[in-house]
Amino acid sequence: ADAIVTQSYEVVRDGNPGNGNRVLASVARQLHEKYGLPILAQEELVAADPELPTEHIAGDPSKSGESTASWNTHEVAKTQKKHLEKKYQEEIKVIVVAVPDHMGRAVWTYRKLGLTALAAPMPSIGYAGSEHACASHRWAWLFRAREILVRVLFWYWGYI
């Protein structure tokens, strides 16, 4: 692989990055230490671990911690791809760090953008919690239902 790319989890009500992003940052750091690959992180992971050794930070200051039609998995992946294309001329291979229930859509999105994407092994718990502002991120079952609906939208929009 050429790089580690991340997708974040929602921040919590008080703006704190939340446990989900700490888990994601920890996995990204472990992969970086094991393989020596650069990390292209979404901004919430850097907030969760300010010492995370990143090469590029994908962020939209007007949408920090939010997923919207204009700032979502596809848009984050596009900014990361654009950064990697400056560095690599051939096939680009990435290891994707994302919440397990989001991993399928994340990997499909990177692949649709022309990258070779591999899913990182992820812990299955530690993401959802009652402190999240958005109800879909408080309970795993509701996040899964949301993920199914968003996958349909991404398919309709041509993102996967």
Side-chain angles (χ1 to χ4, degrees):
D2 300 307
I4 300 159
V5 294
T6 74
Q7 294 285 326
S8 71
Y9 199 65
E10 182 195 50
V11 297
V12 297
R13 289 184 190 140
D14 65 2
N16 153 339
N19 197 53
N21 286 313
R22 282 188 278 283
V23 170
L24 295 168
S26 173
V27 170
R29 178 183 288 282
Q30 289 171 34
L31 290 168
H32 169 74
E33 290 169 356
K34 184 172 183 173
Y35 299 112
L37 299 172
I39 299 172
L40 283 69
Q42 194 169 350
E43 62 188 329
E44 291 82 0
L45 272 72
V46 177
D49 180 357
E51 302 301 315
L52 189 67
T54 57
E55 179 176 293
H56 172 77
I57 299 171
D60 183 338
S62 67
K63 307 208 178 1
S64 185
E66 298 177 31
S67 180
T68 66
S70 64
W71 186 245
N72 55 44
T73 301
H74 181 256
E75 295 303 317
V76 171
K78 276 185 5 186
T79 67
Q80 293 167 333
K81 178 186 177 189
K82 185 177 180 181
H83 176 81
L84 288 168
E85 286 176 330
K86 294 175 189 171
K87 192 173 178 179
Y88 303 102
Q89 304 304 314
E90 298 176 16
E91 177 185 13
I92 300 169
K93 299 173 187 164
V94 296
I95 299 174
V96 180
V97 173
V99 174
D101 291 328
H102 178 226
M103 186 65 81
R105 180 164 54 99
V107 167
W108 294 334
T109 300
Y110 287 101
R111 288 179 180 168
K112 182 75 173 190
L113 289 169
L115 304 175
T116 300
L118 231 86
M122 300 299 298
S124 59
I125 59 171
Y127 305 96
S130 61
E131 70 278 7
H132 289 283
C134 183
S136 68
H137 288 70
R138 290 184 207 150
W139 301 286
W141 68 268
L142 193 52
F143 185 83
R144 289 182 190 114
R146 173 193 178 273
E147 185 62 29
I148 291 167
L149 294 173
V150 175
R151 286 179 186 197
V152 170
L153 278 175
F154 267 46
W155 172 79
Y156 178 76
W157 291 334
Y159 293 170
I160 59 174

